[in-house]
Each structure stands twice: as structure tokens, then as C-alpha cells.
Amino acid sequence: MRSFGLERAITENELLLHYQPIVSVPARQLVAVEALVRWKHPERGIVSPMEFIPEAEATGLIRRLTFWVLREAMLQANVWRRDAAVLTVAVNLSVENLHDPHFRRFMELTLKAAGGPENLIMETSARALARDPNPPIATLELMRDKRIRVAIDDATDEDAQVLESLPADIVKVGRGLVTKMGRDRRALEYVRAVVNAARERGLEATAVGVEDQTIWARLSELGFANAQGYFIGPPMPAAELAEWRATRV
Ligand code: C2E
Ligand code: MG
């Protein structure tokens, strides 16, 4: 019953994307946005992806969902480009997508529409990659060959193996660790360890979940290249992002 609802959501266009700013550290310049899916449910209002992505993964609907997200994000990126406001967009992929034989073909089509792989980042959860007995290394390599940047998402100090072994360009340190590091020394040391491991491999580190000035102030010293969080800007519809950009210059 619930998955019937999600299928309808995709078909009936009940999904929408919000975009969260990602800025450079310490200059605080907008370098990219992360596309985050929401479900505009006719009765429940806006539903969080945490509530329906696991179900999409379990039922196989994640293929259609991700195709929708990528297409929508690329259309939006084209609008930004047309308005001379070129923006890199980061899209979340489930590990199931990376194993999907249709995904490569879809990606080729997406790239044709996208105008430039430089403006695309593909994020995949560190935890899902760590749990995968057969990590999709060839697909990650293919993306990087096509000059799409690959981000390992929501990394913690437990993901050293993934950080060392998988092809990637960016490591995103999870908000679980980042939000804690202002008040918890251990969390701070874990963050430092992840950023150092990333930098040793030549990967750029992004902090997710930067909620206040105290955390922001530590990012540069820790070696973060980029940051994302409510302190900088929340996820918002594309129209609001335009206003957000306008008020910052
Ligand atoms: P994520 O990829 O780690 O995305 C960041 C999440 O952290 C977003 O939650 C964002 O709203 C939230 N966040 C950002 N800054 C802050 C902050 O300062 N404080 C707090 N407390 N939270 C912050 P959201 O949008 O609810 O997304 C949750 C997760 O759902 C994402 O985590 C991602 O794993 C998944 N997701 C979202 N969109 C998609 C999608 O299109 N496809 C797939 N496969 N997964 C998606
Ligand atoms: Mg993400």
C-alpha cells in the first residue's frame, strides 16, 4: 500500500527537490548545491526522504526515483546556466543505483542533457558502500572517467576502509559527527581523523551539519575545503535559492 503511494508520487509528479548551498571554507563562496528530494504528499504535506528512500531501495522503485531526481536536477542546472548563474549540483545515489545495469545508459543520456560533467557531483553513502560485499568500483571509476565528481557521503571515523580503497574526489563528513564536535572532544578528534585520512588520499573534505558559528570557526583549521549546514543555508526550493544568492552579494 505504501509503496503504491510512492510509485504514484513519481508518476504524478508529487516529488520535488530542495537545494542546499555548499560554500567554500573560509571564503564562504557558493560552490555547489545539494539536491535533496521531498515528497509533497496530498494529505501528509512535505514528507522527508528518510521516510521513503529506504522503502524505495527495498522495492526497486529507487531506479525511477533516482532517474527523476537526476533529470529534475539537470533541468534546473540548465535553467541556472541559461541565467548565467552556473552552479554545480550534487545528487544522492543509492548504492542500488550503482549496481543497476540501466544506470550507465541513463547516465550517458543525463550527461548529454547536463551540458557538462564538471557541474555534477554524485554522492553515495559511506555506510552503504562499507556494507556492500561487492562495492561498485567500476561504476565509480566510470563516473570519474567522465569527469563527474564522486563524493563519499556521511563518512564517519568507522569508514577508513572505504576512504582508503574506493575511487572518489570528495568526502562528506556526516552531520552526526559535525554537529557534536562543538561540545564533544572525542567527536572533534574523530572529525580530525576523517579529514586527515581524506587529505592523505588527496580528497577534498566537506562538513555537513554546520549549525552555528562555533563549528564554522573550526572548519578551516581542521582542513575542510567546503561546508554545508543550517548556519549557511537550509535546503530550499530553487526560487528561494535565487533570493538567497541575491541577498549575499
Ligand atoms: P544527506 O545526503 O547526508 O543530506 C544532508 C541532510 O542533512 C539533509 O537531510 C539536510 O537537510 C540535512 N542537513 C543539512 N544541514 C543540516 C544542519 O545544519 N543540521 C541538521 N540537523 N541537518 C542538516 P534530508 O534532506 O532530510 O535528507 C536526508 C537524507 O536522505 C540525505 O542525507 C540522503 O541520504 C537522503 N536523500 C535525500 N535526497 C535523496 C535522493 O534524491 N536520493 C537518495 N538516494 N537519497 C536522498
Ligand atoms: Mg548527500
Side-chain angles (χ1 to χ4, degrees):
M1 184 63 192
R2 284 177 64 211
S3 75
F4 172 75
L6 184 54
E7 191 157 13
R8 186 201 61 201
I10 301 169
T11 313
E12 304 283 311
N13 238 339
E14 289 175 9
L15 299 181
L16 56 101
L17 291 183
H18 281 181
Y19 298 91
Q20 185 172 31
I22 302 175
V23 299
S24 61
V25 172
R28 212 161 155 168
Q29 267 170 0
L30 183 65
V31 291
V33 287
E34 178 170 5
L36 294 157
V37 71
R38 274 93 182 87
W39 178 359
K40 195 163 179 248
H41 194 281
E43 285 120 41
R44 293 170 62 203
I46 302 278
V47 181
S48 150
M50 312 274 248
E51 286 191 46
F52 60 85
I53 293 288
E55 185 195 329
E57 289 173 347
T59 56
L61 275 173
I62 195 67
R63 170 190 284 169
R64 287 183 57 205
L65 186 142
T66 302
F67 287 4
W68 184 88
V69 168
L70 260 170
R71 190 171 166 276
E72 179 72 14
M74 288 306 101
L75 289 173
Q76 182 58 55
N78 282 339
V79 171
W80 284 323
R81 188 173 305 111
R82 193 198 57 204
D83 296 346
V86 181
L87 250 187
T88 293
V89 183
V91 173
N92 291 283
L93 303 183
S94 294
V95 82
E96 286 79 0
N97 297 131
L98 300 175
H99 285 295
D100 181 346
H102 292 263
F103 181 72
R104 289 180 174 220
R105 166 112 188 91
F106 182 78
M107 209 173 64
E108 311 254 311
L109 293 174
T110 304
L111 278 183
K112 272 197 195 137
E118 306 77 23
N119 296 327
L120 196 53
I121 297 173
M122 302 270 201
E123 305 188 354
T124 305
S125 145
R127 186 58 38 85
L129 289 167
R131 282 208 199 114
D132 191 335
N134 183 23
I137 294 177
T139 311
L140 296 175
E141 273 169 354
L142 181 83
M143 293 201 273
R144 297 190 68 223
D145 288 348
K146 294 194 178 295
R147 289 180 299 128
I148 296 172
R149 273 170 289 162
V150 169
I152 295 179
D153 206 0
D154 213 6
T156 71
D157 52 301
E158 286 165 30
D159 298 312
Q161 176 74 30
V162 167
L163 296 186
E164 274 163 32
S165 57
L166 294 187
D169 304 274
I170 299 163
V171 172
K172 297 187 82 169
V173 180
R175 66 178 197 263
L177 272 184
V178 172
T179 47
K180 253 195 263 164
M181 75 185 199
R183 50 192 152 81
D184 177 343
R185 272 207 75 78
R186 256 212 326 218
L188 181 67
E189 290 319 309
Y190 289 152
V191 169
R192 202 185 296 280
V194 179
V195 177
N196 287 345
R199 284 173 33 136
E200 264 166 42
R201 266 204 63 198
L203 309 183
E204 240 180 33
T206 301
V208 181
V210 179
E211 289 188 348
D212 54 48
Q213 167 71 36
T214 319
I215 294 177
W216 168 263
R218 306 216 63 158
L219 298 179
S220 181
E221 170 248 327
L222 284 165
F224 280 106
N226 298 311
Q228 171 182 355
Y230 295 168
F231 179 65
I232 299 143
M236 55 192 121
E240 277 175 34
L241 186 80
E243 286 168 32
W244 182 88
R245 288 178 93 168
T247 57
R248 293 177 80 244
V249 284

